[in-house]
Amino acid sequence: MTTMIEQRAGRKEWLGLAVLMLPVLLVSIDNTVLSFALPYIALDLQPSAAMQLWIIDIYPLVLAGLLVTMGSFGDRIGRRKLLLIGSTGFALVSVFAAFSVSAEMLLISRLLLGFFGAMIMPCTLSLLRGMFHDRAQRRLAIAVWATGFSAGTAIGPIVGGVLLEHFHWGSVFLIAVPFLLPLLIFAPLLVTESRDPNPGPIDVPAILLSMAALAPIVFAIKHTATDGIDLISVGALLIGVLSGWLFVRRLLKQENPILDMRLFAVPAFTGSVLVNLVSVVALVGLLFFLSQHLQLILGLTPLQAGLMLLPGTVTMIVAGLLIVRVVRRVKVHIAMAFGLGLAFLAYLSLAITGGSAPLWMLVAAFTLLAAGIAIAETLSNDVIIASVPPAKAGAASAVSETAYEVGAVLGTSVLGGVLTASYRSGMVVPEGATAEQAHAARETLAGAVNVSNELEAGGMTAQAQTLLDSAFHAFDAGSTVTSAVGAVLMVGAIILALRMVGKATA
């Protein structure tokens, strides 16, 4: 009995959790804050459709590619130490990104943010494993962590809306400074350092292979979505798959690898990782087109559009915390499947109503999806962390984070790619527009709005309205197709939860 009391976390640990939530919120906010800033960036820096997707995706792509590596480094040199290094770099690069004068400069900034963000995220979750030994307390702490991560993704557009209402779009990056300064001050005082007492050697070939596996595969998906299947996409896919195979083969031969691939032989672990990934695809994918629909089609200001997502954000926080109590009486895989079912209903409603959905239905659909994703994310992260010994918490956390970041990439590259392809096929540019204007209008919805304004200013009012009508119709049609794909993904996730997670948690 005394041992259990000694193992329970006290005031210091809970204050430490509050400090760790600062970088969690920041990194997750950064995943989606550009969704609402994108129309302003498109008008200011004029990136192509492909560049827009890369500006959004390069951050989670680099993050995902380095998470396993950084999780392993944290296990070796100290997770708190790596967290502080990453936070310092993240804050400095955020200032650089805020004052970008070209799309290329912003792209490089996002790449560096991904690099330093990869140091932050696996450390936060793995540090929790060392701070909260009691299972009930740890589950609550992970629920707070997962809810903060998911809520940060939803808060991103709201924060962006408030800032864009009053400041230049670069302000969405400057929020890193007030988030990370308190962390740098209080983390050494409140967060207990932890590391793997028996780390293996740093495996440089495995690190390179892990990065070579992910980046080409995601590039192949993005390239196929925007340009179709060709030798480039096939070649990139083959490189990624081959690198991934070599990576797994190498790790299976080692006694103490940077990532224990045998964990994936546990159905509950693998199922939870996949549920984690698909859940984020659903959340980020919906935000990708919903933010544009609210601003560019319904004409809401960034602040108004962000406030439309507020009910969903609040519901996400509440659902993520309440599910901790529910799973005391309900089996984990059943609760997880229920949450994914809510997300399915959200996408199904949008697939049925399409562009004709009224504003209240869009808000309701996002709220429903937010609640479901919060439930799925909280439970999947808990299962992942509970499946490994404390010494390997960094590597397990990195797997969870990798799934999250890959999901963020796929949310924009797959669902965003489906939307872009559908938009382009349905977009009709009226006569009178120049070849350059026609290209810009077909690239993105923001480009079409910009061209419409140019035609209006040039006295071509009828053509401007025709172009705008065509763009809106094409975008809404693409949103319908994208929602149908999202609904199918949710059905797959429900099956994963019931069959794989249920095997070990039933």
Side-chain angles (χ1 to χ4, degrees):
M1 195 69 173
T2 304
T3 304
M4 289 299 295
I5 294 175
E6 290 175 347
Q7 287 184 343
R8 287 183 64 81
R11 182 181 179 185
K12 178 183 176 182
E13 285 75 21
W14 290 110
L15 288 173
L17 172 62
V19 171
L20 289 177
M21 291 310 299
L22 293 172
V24 170
L25 284 169
L26 176 63
V27 174
S28 58
I29 284 173
D30 250 41
N31 267 330
T32 54
V33 71
L34 278 193
S35 296
F36 272 46
L38 194 59
Y40 293 85
I41 294 173
L43 294 175
D44 187 14
L45 304 182
Q46 298 185 351
S48 65
M51 178 62 80
Q52 281 192 48
L53 286 175
W54 273 114
I55 287 173
I56 295 174
D57 288 345
I58 194 67
Y59 169 77
L61 172 60
V62 173
L63 233 168
L66 290 173
L67 279 169
V68 172
T69 299
M70 294 304 181
S72 179
F73 277 146
D75 288 345
R76 286 162 171 77
I77 71 172
R79 294 148 187 162
R80 188 182 67 184
K81 181 178 180 180
L82 189 65
L83 173 64
L84 295 175
I85 294 172
S87 298
T88 302
F90 198 96
L92 293 174
V93 176
S94 294
V95 177
F96 182 76
F99 296 99
S100 296
V101 295
S102 67
E104 291 75 17
M105 182 176 175
L106 182 57
L107 182 68
I108 293 172
S109 300
R110 293 277 289 173
L111 184 151
L112 292 173
L113 287 172
F115 175 79
F116 287 109
M119 297 182 185
I120 296 173
M121 293 317 298
C123 294
T124 58
L125 187 55
S126 55
L127 282 167
L128 292 186
R129 178 64 187 262
M131 293 164 62
F132 295 91
H133 300 284
D134 179 77
R135 178 63 189 271
Q137 286 189 318
R138 186 171 68 242
R139 177 172 278 172
L140 178 58
I142 290 176
V144 173
W145 182 94
T147 301
F149 207 166
S150 299
T153 301
I155 289 171
I158 300 175
V159 173
V162 173
L163 293 175
L164 292 168
E165 191 80 7
H166 303 286
F167 306 104
H168 180 259
W169 59 261
S171 60
V172 300
F173 294 102
L174 292 177
I175 58 173
V177 177
F179 268 91
L180 294 179
L181 278 180
L183 171 74
L184 296 174
I185 295 171
F186 292 109
L189 302 174
L190 298 172
V191 178
T192 305
E193 179 64 285
S194 67
R195 56 172 57 89
D196 187 343
N198 185 32
I202 295 177
D203 190 347
V204 176
I207 291 172
L208 295 176
L209 285 171
S210 69
M211 291 186 286
L214 180 65
I217 291 175
V218 175
F219 173 79
I221 294 171
K222 289 169 55 61
H223 185 79
T224 300
T226 54
D227 299 310
I229 299 176
D230 56 20
L231 289 176
I232 295 177
S233 59
V234 173
L237 181 62
L238 290 176
I239 291 173
V241 171
L242 177 61
S243 299
W245 179 75
L246 292 173
F247 174 72
V248 173
R249 188 165 180 254
R250 181 179 180 84
L251 297 191
L252 287 175
K253 291 182 178 180
Q254 298 177 344
E255 291 185 7
N256 196 357
I258 62 172
L259 175 63
D260 188 358
M261 298 304 299
R262 295 172 184 83
L263 289 173
F264 290 95
V266 180
F269 181 88
T270 303
S272 295
V273 169
L274 293 175
V275 166
N276 199 326
L277 186 150
V278 178
S279 297
V280 179
V281 170
L283 179 61
V284 174
L286 182 62
L287 285 171
F288 180 78
F289 70 79
L290 186 58
S291 61
Q292 296 182 69
H293 183 96
L294 293 174
Q295 290 182 86
L296 299 175
I297 295 181
L298 298 185
L300 301 183
T301 65
L303 178 57
Q304 290 171 334
L307 290 176
M308 291 301 102
L309 303 182
L310 186 58
T313 305
V314 173
T315 303
M316 177 176 282
I317 295 171
V318 173
L321 296 177
L322 283 181
I323 197 62
V324 175
R325 290 184 174 274
V326 173
V327 292
R328 295 175 183 174
R329 298 176 177 84
V330 179
K331 293 178 180 178
V332 171
H333 67 288
I334 298 297
M336 194 182 293
F338 173 76
L340 295 167
L342 295 180
F344 165 75
L345 292 176
Y347 264 120
L348 181 64
S349 66
L350 295 177
I352 293 173
T353 57
S356 62
L359 179 58
W360 69 266
M361 181 171 287
L362 296 175
V363 174
F366 177 72
T367 301
L368 197 62
L369 180 132
I373 296 305
I375 293 171
E377 283 289 297
T378 297
L379 297 179
S380 62
N381 278 294
D382 180 58
V383 173
I384 290 169
I385 291 299
S387 301
V388 301
K392 299 299 179 183
S397 302
V399 172
S400 175
E401 298 295 336
T402 301
Y404 185 97
E405 297 303 334
V406 171
V409 171
L410 296 179
T412 50
S413 60
V414 175
L415 295 184
V418 170
L419 177 60
T420 299
S422 181
Y423 170 79
R424 286 177 176 175
S425 65
M427 180 64 189
V428 178
V429 180
E431 294 183 5
T434 66
E436 183 179 346
Q437 288 176 326
H439 176 73
R442 290 193 181 96
E443 282 283 287
T444 64
L445 179 59
V449 173
N450 190 35
V451 170
S452 176
N453 292 334
E454 291 176 359
L455 294 176
E456 180 78 27
M460 303 173 69
T461 304
Q463 290 89 335
Q465 188 58 50
T466 299
L467 174 69
L468 210 55
D469 290 341
S470 177
F472 289 172
H473 177 74
F475 189 86
D476 283 336
S479 298
T480 301
V481 175
T482 305
S483 297
V485 174
V488 173
L489 285 175
M490 291 300 94
V491 171
I494 292 171
I495 294 173
L496 285 172
L498 292 176
R499 292 179 64 86
M500 297 187 71
V501 180
K503 283 185 178 181
T505 59

